[in-house]
Amino acid sequence: RQMKMQMKLAISFLAFWIKKQATLGEMCLSLKVVDAATLEKPTNKQLIIRTISAMLLFIGMFWVIFDPKKQSWHDKIAKTLVIKVKNA
């Protein structure tokens, strides 16, 4: 049952990242996910990798405290960044 709930949550995050480059919470904070190299919209492959690695490496989210780019482990694996949107 818990696995089913986690899958639904992961699918909803992935859908928001693909459509809006942000989850609802990220949108409220004027944040969006971008490709780390180009700062453009990430590919669907990057977002799928980001979603899977976030589920598997949840503790890696705490890495942002120590990382100079504020990247979590799943961002490093997917080669993405979360950035502040200027005109929000």
Side-chain angles (χ1 to χ4, degrees), residues 42-54:
T43 64
N44 287 352
K45 180 180 175 182
Q46 283 176 291
L47 295 172
I48 291 167
I49 290 169
R50 187 176 198 270
T51 303
I52 292 169
S53 59

Side-chain angles (χ1 to χ4, degrees), residues 16-43:
F16 270 100
W17 283 330
I18 288 171
K19 293 285 185 188
K20 301 285 188 181
Q21 288 181 256
T23 60
L24 288 173
E26 289 167 332
M27 285 189 273
C28 289
L29 296 172
S30 299
L31 303 173
K32 73 176 182 177
V33 178
V34 296
D35 180 288
T38 65
L39 301 182
E40 298 294 327
K41 184 176 180 176
T43 64

Side-chain angles (χ1 to χ4, degrees), residues 63 67-80:
W63 186 253
D67 190 84
K69 290 184 179 179
K70 301 298 180 201
Q71 282 180 294
S72 63
W73 289 348
H74 60 272
D75 283 315
K76 289 186 177 297
I77 291 167
K79 298 181 178 135
T80 58

Side-chain angles (χ1 to χ4, degrees), residues 1-13 51 55 58:
R1 182 169 227 163
Q2 184 178 357
M3 180 65 123
K4 196 177 207 181
M5 182 63 150
Q6 288 175 329
M7 288 301 297
K8 287 180 181 180
L9 185 62
I11 290 168
S12 69
F13 274 40
T51 303
M55 287 175 58
F58 184 78

